[in-house]
């Protein structure tokens, strides 16, 4: 498929982010993406989507009874060596289809027709112009789907401010409070400083309340995720301490233990294994000590379940047809 040349709605928004001098994310490359994939994310001017699918494995309030329609964008503005979605997050991996926003809307419409209530933008940071255009299109739709911004939090706070009132649920993953870890494990400078500014902006917009509908599905709010990494317990505790002290212990937290070693890190001294029970117990003890009381804590056994395969049409369903947790 080629990019849809009829995609004109929302063009005013799109043009505000100049892809000939891309500064869509805090990497601030200044790359000319109209000339090709020249920036750190390795993505040119067109939307590239790895998968548009129903995902039932998000937090219960996000997936709801029927699942969420997730748009998985290709590549990423981080380079996490352990990326759990590594099949789609590498710009040098299999090329995705270039796809116009009109085609994305059509594919999403087909899934929303099954009664899904929400659309998730997954790894949206390097596709912000297209996301803004999609938001404009979904705002025209009746019923309007709830829009979820599912991000690694390496986002520009000033651009998030422009999304105020247009995104319904922020779902950032706060990864590190240690600058060195951001560089070593995700290949970016100033991760803690950048991500905490972005999350403070999300908190300013949403506060700590999470509005639910009569089916206990999220309507509006903020959920902060944190994936506990083997060997980095102190980092996880620091992440939780920052949230409790700088935001509030009443923020909804999704603490995840599902980490598994991908092929790239199978020989890494820490990341080459799953979490030890005592490591997770230490993080949970800090979670309790800090007074968090809202959100979700994964069972340690989750590390055996949440393994998507983006080579399948339905990445989150097992080959036998069963749906992952
Ligand atoms: S979106 Fe891509 S090209 Fe633009 S600043 Fe970020 S990494 Fe660089």
């Amino acid at each position: 498929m080629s990019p849809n040349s009829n995609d004109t709605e929302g063009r005013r928004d799109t043009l505000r982010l100049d892809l000939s001098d891309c500064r869509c994310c805090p990497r601030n490359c200044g790359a000319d993406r109209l000339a090709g994939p020249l920036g750190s994310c390795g993505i040119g001017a067109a939307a590239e989507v790895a998968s548009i699918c129903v995902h039932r494995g998000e937090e219960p309030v996000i997936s709801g009874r029927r699942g969420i329609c997730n748009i998985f964008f290709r590549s990423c503005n981080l380079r996490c060596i352990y990326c759990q979605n590594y099949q789609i997050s590498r710009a040098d991996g299999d090329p995705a289809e270039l796809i116009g926003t009109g085609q994305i809307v059509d594919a999403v419409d087909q899934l929303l027709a099954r009664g899904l209530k929400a659309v998730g933008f997954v790894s949206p940071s390097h596709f912000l112009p297209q996301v803004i255009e999609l938001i404009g299109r979904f705002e025209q739709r009746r019923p309007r789907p709830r829009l979820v911004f599912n991000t690694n939090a390496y986002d520009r706070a000033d651009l998030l401010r422009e999304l105020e009132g247009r995104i319904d649920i922020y779902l950032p993953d706060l990864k590190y409070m240690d600058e060195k870890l951001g560089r070593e494990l995700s290949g970016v400078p100033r991760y803690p400083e950048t991500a905490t500014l972005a999350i403070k902006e999300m908190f300013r917009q949403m506060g700590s309340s999470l509005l639910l509908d009569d089916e206990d599905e999220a309507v509006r709010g903020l959920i902060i995720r944190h994936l506990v990494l083997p060997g980095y317990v102190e980092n996880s505790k620091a992440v939780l301490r920052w949230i409790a002290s700088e935001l509030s212990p009443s923020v909804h937290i999704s603490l995840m233990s599902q980490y598994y070693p991908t092929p790239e890190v199978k020989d890494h001294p820490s990341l080459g294994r799953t979490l030890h029970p005592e490591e997770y117990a230490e993080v949970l003890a800090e979670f309790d000590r800090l007074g968090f009381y809202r959100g979700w804590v994964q069972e340690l056994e989750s590390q055996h379940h949440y393994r998507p395969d983006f080579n399948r049409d339905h990445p989150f369903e097992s080959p036998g047809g069963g749906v992952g947790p």
Side-chain angles (χ1 to χ4, degrees):
M1 281 185 281
S2 60
N4 186 341
S5 57
N6 293 325
D7 290 340
T8 52
E9 286 182 34
R11 176 165 290 173
R12 203 160 42 103
D13 284 336
T14 306
L15 291 178
R16 281 204 334 242
L17 290 168
D18 181 4
L19 287 177
S20 69
D21 177 27
C22 184
R23 300 179 194 279
C24 290
C25 87
R27 285 217 187 239
N28 217 18
C29 301
D32 182 0
R33 288 173 60 181
L34 299 178
L38 301 174
S40 297
C41 59
I43 293 294
E48 294 189 44
V49 167
S51 178
I52 298 176
C53 63
V54 178
H55 188 189
R56 297 180 176 84
E58 308 279 33
E59 290 76 6
V61 295
I62 298 294
S63 285
R65 291 166 54 189
R66 301 171 196 85
I68 177 173
C69 174
N70 270 343
I71 303 169
F72 288 89
F73 291 105
R74 179 170 172 259
S75 189
C76 187
N77 60 340
L78 299 187
R79 284 284 170 274
C80 304
I81 59 174
Y82 55 86
C83 180
Q84 309 285 280
N85 288 345
Y86 67 97
Q87 290 164 307
I88 62 172
S89 66
R90 302 282 191 257
D92 54 0
D94 289 339
E97 284 183 309
L98 303 183
I99 185 169
T101 49
Q103 291 160 292
I104 296 175
V105 170
D106 288 346
V108 168
D109 270 343
Q110 285 183 20
L111 296 179
L112 290 179
R114 300 184 190 175
L116 277 58
K117 298 177 185 172
V119 174
F121 301 113
V122 185
S123 295
S125 314
H126 54 308
F127 282 111
L128 217 46
Q130 290 89 351
V131 167
I132 290 171
E133 187 172 342
L134 286 168
I135 290 171
R137 287 176 171 248
F138 292 132
E139 284 172 343
Q140 312 289 322
R141 197 182 180 282
R142 293 291 175 272
R144 175 191 177 283
R146 297 161 193 171
L147 301 179
V148 179
F149 198 80
N150 181 340
T151 173
N152 57 40
Y154 199 67
D155 291 297
R156 280 178 48 183
D158 60 326
L159 295 182
L160 292 175
R161 205 167 299 130
E162 304 220 1
L163 298 181
E164 186 166 11
R166 304 185 79 187
I167 290 293
D168 300 293
I169 298 133
Y170 284 110
L171 196 54
D173 177 13
L174 183 52
K175 294 175 175 298
Y176 320 110
M177 289 308 294
D178 181 338
E179 151 77 14
K180 201 162 141 261
L181 287 187
R183 287 181 186 273
E184 281 179 13
L185 303 185
S186 294
V188 282
R190 299 183 302 280
Y191 177 88
E193 176 190 331
T194 306
T196 54
L197 268 179
I199 291 178
K200 274 187 172 173
E201 170 57 25
M202 298 176 199
F203 182 74
R204 185 193 68 76
Q205 293 180 28
M206 298 295 179
S208 49
S209 59
L210 183 67
L211 184 63
L212 303 179
D213 66 12
D214 54 9
E215 292 186 305
D216 284 338
E217 297 179 20
V219 174
R220 185 175 187 280
L222 165 69
I223 298 170
I224 302 179
R225 287 175 165 171
H226 176 68
L227 176 67
V228 183
L229 297 173
Y232 297 100
V233 165
E234 289 309 317
N235 175 60
S236 290
K237 289 160 67 176
V239 164
L240 294 175
R241 281 197 296 274
W242 180 84
I243 299 170
S245 65
E246 296 296 318
L247 303 181
S248 163
S250 58
V251 167
H252 290 74
I253 305 293
S254 178
L255 199 62
M256 301 188 292
S257 60
Q258 69 189 55
Y259 174 84
Y260 71 97
T262 57
E264 191 169 335
V265 290
K266 69 179 175 24
D267 298 322
H268 189 280
S270 300
L271 298 174
R273 60 171 172 83
T274 53
L275 267 180
H276 291 322
E278 54 275 21
E279 290 176 308
Y280 199 44
E282 197 176 330
V283 176
L284 289 177
E286 187 72 348
F287 181 91
D288 289 337
R289 189 189 72 77
L290 291 166
F292 288 110
Y293 62 97
R294 289 160 136 182
W296 300 266
V297 170
Q298 273 183 337
E299 300 292 331
L300 194 58
E301 293 71 37
S302 305
Q303 56 201 209
H304 303 298
H305 300 309
Y306 292 86
R307 299 187 184 183
D309 182 351
F310 286 91
N311 291 320
R312 294 198 293 259
D313 286 344
H314 304 283
F316 294 92
E317 296 181 8
S318 69
V323 176

